[in-house]
Amino acid sequence: MRVPVRGAAPTALVLALSLLVLGPALSACDTPRTPGTPRTAGEAGTTGTAGAAPGVVLRAERTSPTDIDLRWQGGGPGASGHILEFATDAAGPYTVLQYLPPQVTSYRHPDLMPHTTFFYRLRAFAGPASKPVDVTLPAGELTAADEDAGHDWLPARKDPRRTSPGRPLRPTGAGAPTGFRAVVKHANGILFTWTDHASDEKGFLLESRIPGDSDEGSGDDSGYAPVAVFEPDVNSAGLITLPTEKQGAYRVRAFTHGALSNVVRLTTGASADQ
């Protein structure tokens, strides 16, 4: 599986380790911090809304021959966010483009294959989050000692000592992770651990709120965005941060899947060099 680490790792060693350890990638083409660019153009190229989740309507438009903009309205009852997926066949399989927080309602899928039909849908996700923790990383870059040190803390793990008897996330919303802790390992590395209380999760989302982000909100529950996704039962994982992310608040969410939106389809045109 690909790694949900944002940005380039400071050294080849850390990058090589990262590629072995964490869950599926969050995005095929964008950084998680800026998962969508709001658009105001028209809504040509949409399909009907048969089978859509209540209140969730997905629309698409081709803003250039090989760029597609997606926008949606409504959040679905009880949704903690959405998973944007695409396919090149109506029957799938669908591939995850991005895990999106509820405040994001648009996404650009750029530089696509010419003369190809793309299908898109939104899948709601929901589940309780842990209490957040604030993290301050040391100033500067990785030292030689950091580079030479072991990185056995980085892989995602399932530690039975941090798993309690599980409770279903549905329908009550119980099963929030507890005991969420962050341990600074070096100038760009954090180890997160938590206790898993859920019995039916589809996975865990590590979410962050970094000061100065354009989508940061003023409320305690605002401005968080997913930065990594982990498989069910994982309760320990490391993260390599960007050099500019020296301070931030982090939390982990146990999640399960919700309803699907309508499916939209658009066909790209010729590329610029054709």
Side-chain angles (χ1 to χ4, degrees), residues 42-48 58-62 263-267:
E43 297 173 357
T46 63
T47 70
L58 178 64
R59 296 182 173 89
E61 64 172 319
R62 202 180 72 188
V263 174
V264 297
R265 59 175 289 172
L266 275 178
T267 301

Side-chain angles (χ1 to χ4, degrees), residues 161-253:
R161 295 173 298 176
R162 287 191 292 273
T163 301
S164 70
R167 290 175 287 179
L169 298 176
R170 293 188 175 189
T172 63
T178 62
F180 183 57
R181 296 181 61 230
V183 177
V184 174
K185 304 302 287 187
H186 56 58
N188 294 106
I190 311 169
L191 169 64
F192 297 99
T193 58
W194 61 91
T195 298
D196 174 14
H197 293 279
S199 62
D200 60 347
E201 77 272 14
K202 293 298 183 181
F204 291 91
L205 284 173
L206 180 65
E207 301 175 343
S208 73
R209 183 172 66 185
I210 305 299
D213 282 355
S214 60
D215 60 356
E216 183 181 356
S218 58
D220 290 341
D221 199 46
S222 302
Y224 282 90
V227 292
V229 58
F230 306 110
E231 294 179 348
D233 301 325
V234 165
N235 49 31
S236 173
L239 180 75
I240 302 298
T241 68
L242 297 175
T244 56
E245 296 176 335
K246 293 299 186 180
Q247 291 185 324
Y250 294 85
R251 66 188 185 188
V252 67
R253 181 187 302 276

